[in-house]
Amino acid sequence: QRFLSYRIDQWQPEDGSRRVQCPSPDCTFFLVRPDQQEVECPECQHTFCPACRETGHVGQTCDAAREVRAARTAEADAEVAVASLAARSGWQQCPVCQVRTERTAGCNNMTCRSQQCKGKTTYCYICGQVPQREHFPQGIFANSCVNVSADQYRARLEGS
Protein backbone atom coordinates (compact mmCIF):
# COMPACT_ATOMS: atom_id res chain seq x y z
CA GLN A 1 0.00 0.00 0.00
CA ARG A 2 2.75 2.48 0.97
CA PHE A 3 4.72 1.54 -2.16
CA LEU A 4 1.70 2.20 -4.40
CA SER A 5 1.12 5.58 -2.73
CA TYR A 6 4.79 6.44 -3.27
CA ARG A 7 4.66 5.40 -6.95
CA ILE A 8 1.49 7.48 -7.52
CA ASP A 9 3.18 10.49 -5.92
CA GLN A 10 6.25 10.08 -8.13
CA TRP A 11 4.39 9.49 -11.41
CA GLN A 12 4.52 12.32 -13.93
CA PRO A 13 2.32 12.24 -17.05
CA GLU A 14 4.13 12.64 -20.35
CA ASP A 15 1.86 15.46 -21.58
CA GLY A 16 3.00 17.87 -18.82
CA SER A 17 -0.19 17.51 -16.79
CA ARG A 18 0.22 17.53 -13.07
CA ARG A 19 -1.62 16.01 -10.19
CA VAL A 20 -3.38 18.38 -7.74
CA GLN A 21 -5.44 17.76 -4.67
CA CYS A 22 -8.68 19.60 -4.13
CA PRO A 23 -8.38 21.92 -1.09
CA SER A 24 -11.76 20.74 0.23
CA PRO A 25 -11.25 18.47 3.26
CA ASP A 26 -10.92 14.76 2.44
CA CYS A 27 -11.41 15.35 -1.29
CA THR A 28 -9.69 13.81 -4.29
CA PHE A 29 -6.60 14.21 -6.47
CA PHE A 30 -6.96 14.82 -10.20
CA LEU A 31 -4.89 15.85 -13.24
CA VAL A 32 -4.73 19.35 -14.66
CA ARG A 33 -3.03 20.76 -17.74
CA PRO A 34 -0.07 23.07 -17.03
CA ASP A 35 -1.81 26.06 -18.68
CA GLN A 36 -4.94 25.90 -16.50
CA GLN A 37 -5.29 28.86 -14.14
CA GLU A 38 -8.56 27.74 -12.60
CA VAL A 39 -9.97 24.24 -12.19
CA GLU A 40 -13.13 22.63 -10.89
CA CYS A 41 -12.88 19.53 -8.74
CA PRO A 42 -14.68 16.66 -10.48
CA GLU A 43 -15.87 15.31 -7.14
CA CYS A 44 -17.13 18.33 -5.16
CA GLN A 45 -17.21 21.03 -7.91
CA HIS A 46 -15.05 23.40 -5.82
CA THR A 47 -13.31 25.94 -8.10
CA PHE A 48 -9.73 26.89 -7.25
CA CYS A 49 -6.27 27.79 -8.57
CA PRO A 50 -4.22 24.60 -9.07
CA ALA A 51 -0.95 26.41 -8.24
CA CYS A 52 -1.84 27.82 -4.80
CA ARG A 53 -5.05 25.85 -4.11
CA GLU A 54 -6.88 29.05 -3.12
CA THR A 55 -10.06 30.49 -4.64
CA GLY A 56 -9.65 31.01 -8.38
CA HIS A 57 -8.00 34.26 -9.45
CA VAL A 58 -7.73 34.24 -13.24
CA GLY A 59 -5.71 37.19 -14.47
CA GLN A 60 -3.82 37.62 -11.17
CA THR A 61 -0.68 35.94 -9.94
CA CYS A 62 -0.97 33.81 -6.81
CA ASP A 63 1.08 36.38 -4.87
CA ALA A 64 -1.13 39.27 -6.01
CA ALA A 65 -4.29 37.32 -5.10
CA ARG A 66 -2.78 36.47 -1.69
CA GLU A 67 -2.07 40.17 -1.06
CA VAL A 68 -5.65 41.11 -2.02
CA ARG A 69 -7.04 38.45 0.35
CA ALA A 70 -4.76 39.64 3.16
CA ALA A 71 -5.81 43.27 2.61
CA ARG A 72 -9.50 42.30 2.65
CA THR A 73 -8.98 40.30 5.84
CA ALA A 74 -7.11 43.19 7.49
CA GLU A 75 -9.82 45.64 6.41
CA ALA A 76 -12.56 43.38 7.77
CA ASP A 77 -10.66 42.92 11.05
CA ALA A 78 -10.21 46.69 11.39
CA GLU A 79 -13.92 47.29 10.73
CA VAL A 80 -14.86 44.74 13.40
CA ALA A 81 -12.45 46.39 15.86
CA VAL A 82 -13.88 49.87 15.20
CA ALA A 83 -17.46 48.59 15.50
CA SER A 84 -16.58 46.93 18.81
CA LEU A 85 -14.91 50.11 20.10
CA ALA A 86 -17.93 52.17 19.00
CA ALA A 87 -20.32 49.84 20.81
CA ARG A 88 -18.22 49.83 24.01
CA SER A 89 -17.83 53.62 23.88
CA GLY A 90 -21.47 54.37 23.13
CA TRP A 91 -20.76 56.13 19.83
CA GLN A 92 -23.75 56.90 17.68
CA GLN A 93 -24.21 56.65 13.89
CA CYS A 94 -25.88 59.15 11.59
CA PRO A 95 -29.24 57.65 10.56
CA VAL A 96 -28.67 58.72 6.94
CA CYS A 97 -25.03 57.95 6.08
CA GLN A 98 -24.04 55.69 9.01
CA VAL A 99 -20.90 57.73 9.84
CA ARG A 100 -19.93 57.11 13.47
CA THR A 101 -19.81 60.03 15.89
CA GLU A 102 -18.14 60.37 19.26
CA ARG A 103 -19.53 63.14 21.41
CA THR A 104 -16.95 64.43 23.87
CA ALA A 105 -18.87 67.51 25.01
CA GLY A 106 -21.89 69.57 24.14
CA CYS A 107 -25.51 68.82 23.47
CA ASN A 108 -27.24 65.70 22.17
CA ASN A 109 -28.58 67.33 18.98
CA MET A 110 -25.92 66.28 16.46
CA THR A 111 -25.32 67.69 12.96
CA CYS A 112 -23.68 65.29 10.52
CA ARG A 113 -20.99 66.95 8.43
CA SER A 114 -20.09 63.91 6.31
CA GLN A 115 -19.59 64.17 2.55
CA GLN A 116 -23.05 62.71 2.04
CA CYS A 117 -25.02 64.77 4.59
CA LYS A 118 -23.05 68.03 4.36
CA GLY A 119 -24.59 69.45 7.54
CA LYS A 120 -28.19 68.85 6.41
CA THR A 121 -28.91 65.94 8.77
CA THR A 122 -29.47 66.35 12.50
CA TYR A 123 -29.98 63.43 14.87
CA CYS A 124 -30.19 62.60 18.55
CA TYR A 125 -26.94 61.29 20.04
CA ILE A 126 -28.92 59.35 22.66
CA CYS A 127 -31.17 57.27 20.37
CA GLY A 128 -29.77 57.89 16.87
CA GLN A 129 -33.09 59.05 15.45
CA VAL A 130 -33.93 62.29 13.67
CA PRO A 131 -35.34 64.49 16.47
CA GLN A 132 -39.00 65.31 16.34
CA ARG A 133 -40.72 68.18 18.11
CA GLU A 134 -40.26 67.91 21.90
CA HIS A 135 -37.60 65.21 21.44
CA PHE A 136 -35.57 66.40 24.46
CA PRO A 137 -38.12 66.97 27.28
CA GLN A 138 -35.32 67.42 29.85
CA GLY A 139 -33.30 69.66 27.51
CA ILE A 140 -30.67 68.93 24.86
CA PHE A 141 -27.87 68.60 27.44
CA ALA A 142 -29.57 65.88 29.53
CA ASN A 143 -28.62 62.28 28.77
CA SER A 144 -32.18 61.31 27.88
CA CYS A 145 -34.72 61.81 25.12
CA VAL A 146 -38.27 60.69 24.36
CA ASN A 147 -36.95 57.27 23.22
CA VAL A 148 -34.27 56.56 25.87
CA SER A 149 -34.33 57.33 29.60
CA ALA A 150 -31.23 58.51 31.47
CA ASP A 151 -31.04 55.10 33.22
CA GLN A 152 -31.22 53.23 29.89
CA TYR A 153 -28.51 55.46 28.42
CA ARG A 154 -26.25 54.98 31.45
CA ALA A 155 -26.77 51.19 31.29
CA ARG A 156 -25.85 51.18 27.57
CA LEU A 157 -22.63 53.01 28.31
CA GLU A 158 -21.81 50.65 31.18
CA GLY A 159 -22.39 47.68 28.87
CA SER A 160 -25.22 46.08 30.79
Side-chain angles (χ1 to χ4, degrees), residues 11-18 31-34:
W11 177 74
Q12 291 295 320
E14 293 176 10
D15 67 354
S17 295
R18 61 190 172 103
L31 294 177
V32 297
R33 294 185 319 272

Side-chain angles (χ1 to χ4, degrees), residues 114-156:
S114 71
Q115 284 289 99
Q116 182 179 342
C117 293
K118 297 179 181 169
K120 295 179 182 170
T121 302
T122 61
Y123 62 97
C124 171
Y125 191 78
I126 303 297
C127 70
Q129 302 297 311
V130 174
Q132 302 301 318
R133 191 172 179 97
E134 306 297 321
H135 191 81
F136 301 103
Q138 306 297 317
I140 60 174
F141 290 97
N143 287 330
S144 65
C145 68
V146 294
N147 297 322
V148 179
S149 71
D151 290 337
Q152 289 170 322
Y153 182 69
R154 193 173 17 265
R156 186 177 84 199

Side-chain angles (χ1 to χ4, degrees), residues 2-34:
R2 284 179 40 193
F3 177 72
L4 284 176
S5 294
Y6 173 77
R7 291 293 293 157
I8 289 171
D9 287 341
Q10 298 305 309
W11 177 74
Q12 291 295 320
E14 293 176 10
D15 67 354
S17 295
R18 61 190 172 103
R19 191 170 158 246
V20 296
Q21 182 178 16
C22 176
S24 297
D26 302 321
C27 206
T28 189
F29 285 88
F30 58 99
L31 294 177
V32 297
R33 294 185 319 272

Side-chain angles (χ1 to χ4, degrees), residues 87-125:
R88 285 191 319 269
S89 302
W91 297 351
Q92 196 55 264
Q93 286 183 303
C94 171
V96 174
C97 69
Q98 307 308 309
V99 167
R100 289 186 179 95
T101 306
E102 176 187 23
R103 184 193 65 175
T104 56
C107 72
N108 290 308
N109 193 47
M110 307 302 288
T111 301
C112 182
R113 304 217 182 272
S114 71
Q115 284 289 99
Q116 182 179 342
C117 293
K118 297 179 181 169
K120 295 179 182 170
T121 302
T122 61
Y123 62 97
C124 171
Y125 191 78

Side-chain angles (χ1 to χ4, degrees), residues 40-56:
E40 182 179 294
C41 175
E43 190 165 310
C44 71
Q45 286 70 49
H46 178 70
T47 303
F48 64 97
C49 168
C52 65
R53 297 179 60 218
E54 294 289 341
T55 303

